[in-house]
Amino acid sequence: MARRHRTPLTVLALVSSILPLFALPAQASPAPPVNSCGEPGFDPAVEPPDPDAPQLPRIDIPPVVKIPLPYPELVPVPVPGPAPDNTRVPQEPLPADPCADPCPDLGLATGAPDALPGGSSGSSGSSGSAGSSGSAGSSGSSSYLPRVELDPQPEPIPIPVPGAPGAPVPPAPPRENPPFEPGTVTARPPAPAVNDVELVSQLTGPGSENRTDARWAVHGTDLGIVWETRPGEVALAFGDTFGLEWTPPGGAGGDWRSNVLAFSRDTDLADGLTIDAMVQDSPCHAAEILDARHVKNFETTVIPTSGFAIGDRQYLSYMSVRRWSVVPGMWYTNHGGIAYSDDHGQTWTKDPHARWDNVFGLGRFQVATMLPHGDHVYMFGTPNGRVGSVGLARVPVDDVLNPSAYQYWVHDRWMPVFEQLATPLADGAASELSVRFDAGRGRWQMSYLEPIAGEIVLRESDSPQGAWSDAATLVRTSDYPKAYGGFMHPWSHGADLYFTVSEWDSYNVYLMRARLN
């Protein structure tokens, strides 16, 4: 999910003028990994220290310090907005030669963009992750003072104006009155024993085996939320996605799509995950499947947060992001909602009634993860940003699009109450939730980014409402700088837990495997 942070002038001036003075000891810059076609990719792991480098910090002064200068800009926003562009083209078979250009007539360029500062996993001044230290890079030490420049930046002020008549809104579902029902708090299991975690492969972007830059114009993207669409196939939903003009670090650039969707039939994850197709709006170009207005302070973007299938219908939970915060790792939403597809993910409808508005910024289920199990669909959720705890709700499978049918877990009961009353399932803050049910062990698993500790963690429980175990560490940002996410693959089995992570600087998605005891 692309995060474009802007910092208050006084803070930025202080940080910009002080941080570059203290550079970290030099680190080795090994050659980046390459795919089987010889194309360089990214290594999200921390670079090893260079034994020949000085071990004391050096003083580096940048030649220029830029201070953003916001200015108001009135932006008319038609309401209702334009209809989504549902132009779709079928996926042509990929070339027999995996290194061949799938669309030679389009002249799509491939290859890694400019190197990241400090190497393939160098730190950036703004980050989409937690627990990362912004190592400042500059051109060397000197005794001169930097030149200070003002950088005017527009701050949009959306002005709603009448738009073209939109499609008629279907009637709201009937009001339900679910009962108050007692629940069972299961015994707390021990924390998962994580024996080993390893990087399996780079899934997206330049240098990946999937070559998503050449095949679908996906050069930079994040998340990689996985769910089973039907037996033998999974879908992967990605967040803000950029095309040929993208350059690291971070999520920004041209050919911006708020979200894209891929499919895979790869069952052997030990050597990576092969993407077979993506939803396309033109040959070799992944489509934006959930439309977004792309207007800051109104609706900057629309990010998928989980996916699931009930019968032949696919569902996506999503968040409508009003704006990214000046604080890294924070954002403000308009609402969380549910979209559905009846043509196997090619086109999607955002249900106008299945949404949880972020009233006064207090919505508890703005970033939701939903999972069908038995007669219910369980919804785990957090507020916008990365400072909230995990709440839980459930709804009968047939009423998933009816918010009035949801019950919230409050202490030891399922209650049809305000969502804000949902009892936190675990201590601490959580972000980018992922939940799965391990049928082989009969146990629930929940992974998420713990932003304070800077770790992606795993908890387990014998029921969705808990009690949940203590957290076990899957990924440390000290090992993988600016990592976030941690979305579990539903086909994980036995001792192998496969999950995707994103890394902010290289702004791409990686498959990892944890071995559990």
Side-chain angles (χ1 to χ4, degrees):
M1 58 186 78
R3 299 164 177 82
R4 297 160 182 79
H5 305 304
R6 291 185 172 88
T7 311
L9 295 179
T10 54
V11 176
L12 183 63
L14 179 63
V15 173
S16 298
S17 60
I18 293 178
L19 271 183
L21 300 179
F22 302 98
L24 297 180
Q27 294 180 324
S29 296
V34 296
N35 63 11
S36 58
C37 301
E39 298 165 338
F42 302 107
D43 183 357
V46 68
E47 297 168 4
D50 185 348
D52 298 326
Q55 296 304 304
L56 294 176
R58 66 184 186 274
I59 297 178
D60 285 343
I61 300 177
V64 179
V65 172
K66 291 190 175 183
I67 300 178
L69 182 64
Y71 63 89
E73 179 183 53
L74 300 180
V75 178
V77 181
V79 179
D85 182 359
N86 285 331
T87 302
R88 299 291 183 263
V89 299
Q91 172 75 59
E92 296 293 334
L94 296 175
D97 177 4
C99 299
D101 186 348
C103 291
D105 296 339
L106 300 181
L108 298 174
T110 61
D114 296 337
L116 297 171
S120 63
S121 61
S123 297
S124 164
S126 63
S127 169
S129 69
S132 52
S133 60
S135 64
S138 60
S139 58
S141 61
S142 177
S143 59
Y144 64 83
L145 292 176
R147 185 174 74 254
V148 177
E149 293 182 355
L150 296 179
D151 181 17
Q153 296 180 354
E155 185 67 20
I157 300 177
I159 306 296
V161 298
V169 177
R175 176 74 188 180
E176 299 289 343
N177 294 293
F180 289 74
E181 296 182 77
T184 301
V185 178
T186 53
R188 186 187 306 275
V194 180
N195 289 340
D196 183 43
V197 178
E198 62 179 340
L199 174 66
V200 179
S201 69
Q202 179 183 331
L203 294 186
T204 63
S208 65
E209 288 297 329
N210 289 309
R211 303 184 74 227
T212 62
D213 52 333
R215 295 172 178 171
W216 298 287
V218 175
H219 290 241
T221 191
D222 72 345
L223 302 186
I225 297 164
V226 194
W227 77 95
E228 186 175 75
T229 55
R230 56 191 177 191
E233 182 190 75
V234 296
L236 296 94
F238 298 97
D240 282 320
T241 299
F242 301 91
L244 182 60
E245 296 177 7
W246 170 79
T247 55
D255 193 14
W256 175 23
R257 290 144 285 171
S258 285
N259 41 75
V260 296
L261 186 65
F263 298 95
S264 173
R265 296 185 297 274
D266 191 348
T267 59
D268 183 7
L269 303 176
D271 59 353
L273 184 153
T274 299
I275 293 176
D276 302 304
M278 279 191 163
V279 177
Q280 301 181 126
D281 53 12
S282 62
C284 292
H285 190 267
E288 180 179 83
I289 58 167
L290 298 180
D291 64 297
R293 302 303 300 273
H294 292 180
V295 177
K296 182 184 176 183
N297 297 324
F298 184 81
E299 183 179 69
T300 298
T301 190
V302 171
I303 304 295
T305 60
S306 73
F308 59 100
I310 298 177
D312 293 331
R313 174 171 279 190
Q314 306 296 318
Y315 292 89
L316 274 173
S317 61
Y318 68 88
M319 60 176 175
S320 169
V321 178
R322 186 168 74 253
R323 61 168 294 155
W324 304 112
S325 171
V326 297
V327 179
M330 288 295 296
W331 59 89
Y332 306 101
T333 56
N334 296 306
H335 61 268
I338 303 175
Y340 60 89
S341 171
D342 292 322
D343 55 9
H344 198 63
Q346 292 297 305
T347 60
W348 294 79
T349 300
K350 290 189 285 189
D351 190 280
H353 306 292
R355 51 188 285 176
W356 285 256
D357 292 324
N358 194 19
V359 180
F360 301 120
L362 300 177
R364 283 293 308 279
F365 291 83
Q366 295 300 292
V367 189
T369 292
M370 304 184 71
L371 184 69
H373 186 75
D375 297 331
H376 290 86
V377 175
Y378 291 88
M379 179 173 70
F380 301 77
T382 61
N384 56 199
R386 287 180 170 151
V387 295
S389 58
V390 182
L392 176 64
R394 72 176 187 180
V395 66
V397 169
D398 294 337
D399 290 324
V400 68
L401 296 177
N402 187 349
S404 70
Y406 282 68
Q407 298 168 301
Y408 297 88
W409 179 252
V410 183
H411 299 300
D412 59 353
R413 291 180 179 273
W414 296 103
M415 300 183 179
V417 294
F418 294 114
E419 61 182 271
Q420 287 80 6
L421 298 178
T423 302
L425 296 183
D427 296 333
S431 178
E432 286 108 46
L433 281 171
S434 175
V435 179
R436 70 182 290 262
F437 179 70
D438 184 349
R441 298 168 57 226
R443 182 158 287 180
W444 292 74
Q445 294 176 313
M446 176 169 59
S447 63
Y448 57 87
L449 174 68
E450 209 291 342
I452 305 302
E455 296 178 343
I456 298 173
V457 300
L458 176 70
R459 295 180 185 264
E460 293 188 334
S461 175
D462 291 323
S463 64
Q465 64 269 23
W468 286 85
S469 73
D470 292 335
T473 301
L474 291 175
V475 173
R476 292 182 175 89
T477 54
S478 57
D479 298 325
Y480 293 88
K482 300 187 180 178
Y484 58 101
F487 298 100
M488 294 178 286
H489 196 297
W491 293 349
S492 301
H493 64 278
D496 291 333
L497 178 67
Y498 289 93
F499 58 99
T500 63
V501 299
S502 304
E503 195 272 335
W504 176 249
D505 280 355
S506 62
Y507 199 64
N508 269 291
V509 181
Y510 304 84
L511 180 68
M512 303 193 75
R513 175 175 59 194
R515 295 190 181 275
L516 308 180
N517 185 359

